[in-house]
Amino acid sequence: CLSATEQICEPISLVDIFGEESVATTKSPVPDGTYADPTFNWSVDYEAAGWEFSSLEGGIILELQAERSLATVEPVVNRHGDSQRCLLEEVRLLETFEERASITLGSDVDGELRVGSDAGHVWAIYTVEPLADERADQEYTIRIDCYALVEGEASLVVRHSAPRDLWETESAKGDDLREAIEIGEVAAAASYDEDRVTRTVDMLNPRIWIPRAA
């Protein structure tokens, strides 16, 4: 039918291809306001934290939104599981993606800590000022958190971004989200597909900034 220009192809139902269960899962992967990773032992009650589900990119990157804030929660198999090293890698990804931007440590909020750490957890806040004219009004602030997930193997990366001039009020939403995340013990020999967690700078776009238009 595709090669016959005079004939219109009949529509094909996704149910016929994937089955009802697969289609239902694709449409609503986390219907109850919570998400529990099927491979790694972490979960988040994002609805209780005031966030809405956006998508589950690639089946591994949980994307959430709360008004003018965006967040992603993502398990990363980096073969070290070290939080500090994970953060440095995330910052390098950000610098690569925003190669035409000024990136500075910290926000415009007086007295806000720029970096911090506790057991198995490191974080930092950055202000990003795109230099390209077409993105001149897309300045944003981003907080990146790295948690130890599997010793010697994996980390949990949480990114929260919001327009720069709204960060003072939006930052509290990130606090609520991180408090809603629970990380349990995971065996070092946990089974996972390494290819599914290969990371590239393309994975950051467009999940780290929000257009100025509401």
Side-chain angles (χ1 to χ4, degrees):
C1 124
L2 292 176
S3 61
T5 56
E6 70 281 358
Q7 181 179 357
I8 299 177
C9 296
E10 290 293 327
I12 300 175
S13 170
L14 290 178
V15 173
D16 294 337
I17 300 174
F18 300 108
E20 292 185 4
E21 183 176 351
S22 296
V23 172
T25 301
T26 302
K27 289 182 178 178
S28 183
V30 281
D32 59 354
T34 63
Y35 174 77
D37 190 291
T39 301
F40 300 102
N41 190 18
W42 68 270
S43 63
V44 57
D45 187 348
Y46 61 84
E47 188 174 63
W51 289 74
E52 296 180 354
F53 174 77
S54 178
S55 71
L56 189 62
E57 183 72 21
I60 59 172
I61 306 176
L62 178 64
E63 301 180 6
L64 304 169
Q65 184 161 356
E67 296 179 341
R68 301 303 303 281
S69 282
L70 289 179
T72 61
V73 188
E74 173 190 4
V76 176
V77 179
N78 46 31
R79 302 301 183 184
H80 55 71
D82 179 79
S83 300
Q84 184 171 356
R85 183 174 169 185
C86 166
L87 180 61
L88 293 175
E89 291 170 351
E90 290 300 313
V91 173
R92 281 196 290 268
L93 270 178
L94 177 63
E95 290 174 338
T96 301
F97 174 71
E98 293 288 13
E99 60 181 352
R100 297 185 62 193
S102 171
I103 302 175
T104 56
L105 182 63
S107 71
D108 297 329
V109 180
D110 292 337
E112 183 176 51
L113 293 177
R114 298 180 295 177
V115 297
S117 65
D118 49 41
H121 172 213
V122 177
W123 57 269
I125 297 173
Y126 293 89
T127 297
V128 182
E129 302 174 71
L131 302 178
D133 291 341
E134 63 271 18
R135 290 188 59 202
D137 62 346
Q138 293 174 354
E139 296 182 0
Y140 62 91
T141 303
I142 181 169
R143 171 167 165 160
I144 305 172
D145 290 69
C146 279
Y147 299 84
L149 190 58
V150 182
E151 183 178 356
E153 290 289 338
S155 304
L156 187 68
V157 179
V158 181
R159 306 182 201 90
H160 171 212
S161 59
R164 178 179 183 176
D165 59 351
L166 300 178
W167 182 254
E168 185 169 10
T169 55
E170 293 290 310
S171 61
K173 298 174 183 177
D175 297 336
D176 293 338
L177 177 63
R178 290 183 293 273
E179 290 177 2
I181 296 174
E182 296 184 2
I183 301 176
E185 293 185 3
V186 182
S191 174
Y192 52 77
D193 180 0
E194 183 175 0
D195 291 339
R196 78 183 183 97
V197 289
T198 300
R199 321 228 24 267
T200 68
V201 67
D202 293 336
M203 298 176 75
L204 291 177
N205 182 25
R207 289 178 284 272
I208 59 175
W209 55 271
I210 297 179
R212 296 289 296 178

